[in-house]
Amino acid sequence: MLWDAHAAGFRLARGQKVGLLGGSFDPPHQGHVHITLEALRRFRLDRVIWLVSPGNPLKTHGPAPLEDRMAACRAIMQHPRVVISDFERLAGTRHTARTLELLQQAFPGVRFTWLMGADNLAQLHRWEDWRQIMERMPVGVLARPGSRMAAQGSMAADVYAHARLPEREASRLALTPPPAWCFVNVPMVDLSSTELRRAEQEKK
């Protein structure tokens, strides 16, 4: 292994229900904090790990330096059950499917759940090996402004319609064998990293 659990900031035990929220977090904002807290509560998770990626393969422009984004994440997300990690840099991965595979290999017995905003579900079919993501672990989808209709009508939602849990059963998602996913509506925080970056550029 090119990384170790201590360097990644993980202290995980068998049986724990752990949510994984990946992204560039460029910059992190209260919307990320909001869906993280909702995921802990709605999916009855023991912990959530923010996987701060070196870069997003679907974006043409590189993000801010990883060290800066990690520091910003730690500043804005201060919670005893949330871990900020640069696992993808340590493991040398850039694609979510491979990242999840390595995490499951490294922590057998941990019940991982992949977390994403509804906007990501709408474009999930563009991700490399996206079906592996859906079939590797449960997926919790949290509604974000303007993305509910597109997400629920997406290719991924259609292909895995048979594996969808009703929202009222969200608390059992982490214990449900994959493929399994659940779409939950949460109070809205209408923020995006793209809008925040644009606002910062306009100030300069």
Side-chain angles (χ1 to χ4, degrees), residues 95-158:
H95 296 285
T96 298
R98 178 59 176 161
T99 299
L100 302 188
E101 179 184 10
L102 289 178
L103 282 168
Q104 286 186 320
Q105 289 175 359
F107 298 98
V110 172
R111 296 182 176 275
F112 288 113
T113 297
W114 177 248
L115 303 172
M116 65 171 67
D119 53 336
N120 280 328
L121 180 65
Q123 57 159 346
L124 184 63
H125 61 281
R126 296 175 54 204
W127 295 20
E128 184 170 300
D129 297 325
W130 67 274
R131 291 173 186 259
Q132 289 185 24
I133 297 171
M134 295 294 295
E135 296 181 15
R136 182 168 291 282
M137 62 182 61
V139 175
V141 183
L142 298 108
R144 295 184 64 184
S147 56
R148 287 174 173 158
M149 294 300 294
Q152 295 189 80
S154 66
M155 179 184 296
D158 182 58

Side-chain angles (χ1 to χ4, degrees), residues 34-78:
H34 180 61
I35 65 171
T36 298
L37 298 178
E38 286 291 326
L40 282 166
R41 182 176 67 88
R42 299 290 292 276
F43 300 127
R44 301 284 177 85
L45 301 172
D46 298 311
R47 188 171 297 184
V48 169
I49 298 172
W50 282 17
L51 297 170
V52 186
S53 66
N56 186 336
L58 294 181
K59 295 183 178 180
T60 55
H61 300 291
L66 179 60
E67 294 76 11
D68 295 346
R69 290 181 285 125
M70 290 283 290
C73 287
R74 292 190 177 105
I76 198 172
M77 184 72 258
Q78 299 182 22

Side-chain angles (χ1 to χ4, degrees), residues 18-35:
V18 178
L20 302 170
L21 182 66
S24 57
F25 297 95
D26 184 32
H29 52 71
Q30 286 298 327
H32 295 127
V33 174
H34 180 61
I35 65 171

